């Protein structure tokens, strides 16, 4: 039984305690280190200057533009959900996503998001046009949105006027030729 109770022996315990306290003598014997406070303050000021001169992210600029646009169309200071404010916010998102997609043509998810935002904006414009035409027309003209009122059909020239049509050149030439043939036939018939 003595071997099992050796850990209670006081002679070994005092030796272990001395070894334990010898460990702390390493810190007492260590040399004093000078702390370079001037270098620390210089690094802190450099870090602050880097944060101050940090370029603004495009997402932060976009958020600021959304806040500005909603402030223009607010009816009162707490207005965040009226149709006018929502249309202005969605218009800013459309502008941002359009520029993003011009840079990143392969971003399919952004394209899907842009389609969803344009659809939501169109639905809000339809609602506003039905309830208050003057306000809707004012917003459409100020934000320069292409808008077709519900129930009205596009004529071809208005619908495709913004797109480059490569076939129009040949169609124009053929139309001129047909006109010339009609003029010749009319001239021959009159003789």
């Amino acid at each position: 039984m003595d071997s099992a109770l050796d850990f209670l022996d006081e002679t070994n315990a005092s030796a272990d305690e001395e070894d334990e306290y010898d460990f702390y003598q390493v810190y007492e014997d260590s040399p004093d280190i000078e702390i370079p406070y001037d270098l620390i303050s210089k690094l802190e000021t450099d870090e602050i200057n880097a944060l101050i001169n940090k370029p603004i992210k495009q997402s932060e600029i976009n958020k600021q533009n959304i806040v500005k646009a909603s402030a223009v169309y607010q009816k009162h200071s707490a207005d965040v959900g009226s149709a006018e404010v929502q249309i202005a916010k969605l218009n800013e998102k459309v502008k941002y996503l359009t520029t993003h997609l011009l840079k990143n043509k392969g971003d399919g998810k952004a394209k899907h998001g842009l389609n969803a935002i344009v659809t939501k904006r169109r639905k809000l414009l339809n609602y506003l046009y039905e309830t208050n035409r003057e306000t809707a027309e004012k917003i459409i003209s100020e934000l320069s949105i292409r808008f077709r009122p519900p129930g009205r059909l596009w004529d071809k020239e208005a619908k495709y006027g913004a797109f480059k049509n490569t076939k129009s050149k040949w169609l124009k030439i053929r139309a001129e030729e047909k006109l010339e043939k009609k003029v010749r036939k009319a001239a021959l018939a009159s003789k």
Side-chain angles (χ1 to χ4, degrees), residues 5 9 22 36 41 49 57 63 65 73 82 101 118 122 158-159 166 168-169 173 176 184 186:
L5 301 174
D9 188 18
D22 286 342
S41 65
N49 289 334
K57 293 182 181 179
K63 287 177 187 175
N65 290 342
Y73 292 101
S82 67
L101 283 171
V118 167
R122 188 189 72 236
K159 185 173 184 179
T166 56
S168 66
K169 176 182 172 185
I173 292 171
E176 289 173 357
R184 280 188 226 144

Side-chain angles (χ1 to χ4, degrees), residues 143-191:
L143 298 178
S144 63
I145 299 173
R146 286 189 303 162
F147 176 70
R148 176 178 48 92
R152 293 189 185 170
L153 298 175
W154 286 99
D155 61 331
K156 263 189 169 180
E157 291 177 15
K159 185 173 184 179
Y160 298 110
F163 300 106
K164 182 180 177 185
N165 189 353
T166 56
K167 295 180 182 179
S168 66
K169 176 182 172 185
W170 300 109
L171 291 175
K172 191 185 257 186
I173 292 171
R174 288 185 189 135
E176 289 173 357
E177 287 174 358
K178 286 181 181 179
L179 184 65
E180 286 177 12
K181 283 182 184 179
K182 285 182 182 178
V183 169
R184 280 188 226 144
K185 283 182 182 179
L188 288 174
S190 65
K191 287 185 179 181

Side-chain angles (χ1 to χ4, degrees), residues 42-107:
K42 182 181 180 283
L43 291 174
E44 287 175 346
T45 55
D46 290 346
E47 185 176 346
I48 290 170
N49 289 334
L51 288 174
I52 290 171
N53 297 329
K54 183 178 175 182
I56 299 173
K57 293 182 181 179
Q58 186 62 37
S59 61
E60 293 173 3
I61 294 171
N62 186 34
K63 287 177 187 175
Q64 290 173 356
N65 290 342
I66 289 172
V67 169
K68 287 178 188 175
S70 64
V72 171
Y73 292 101
Q74 284 181 337
K75 294 178 182 177
H76 49 83
S77 62
D79 182 17
V80 292
S82 67
E84 296 90 345
V85 172
Q86 289 184 49
I87 290 168
K89 286 181 179 181
L90 291 174
N91 194 53
E92 289 299 319
K93 289 181 182 181
V94 166
K95 286 180 184 176
Y96 171 73
L97 282 175
T98 304
T99 57
H100 171 75
L101 283 171
L102 289 173
K103 294 175 188 172
N104 307 301
K105 295 186 190 295
D107 193 351

Side-chain angles (χ1 to χ4, degrees), residues 114-132:
L114 177 63
N115 285 335
I117 290 172
V118 167
T119 303
K120 189 171 185 178
R121 182 182 71 176
R122 188 189 72 236
K123 288 179 179 180
L124 284 167
L125 278 169
N126 287 344
Y127 165 77
L128 190 61
Y129 191 80
E130 290 172 6
T131 56
N132 192 351

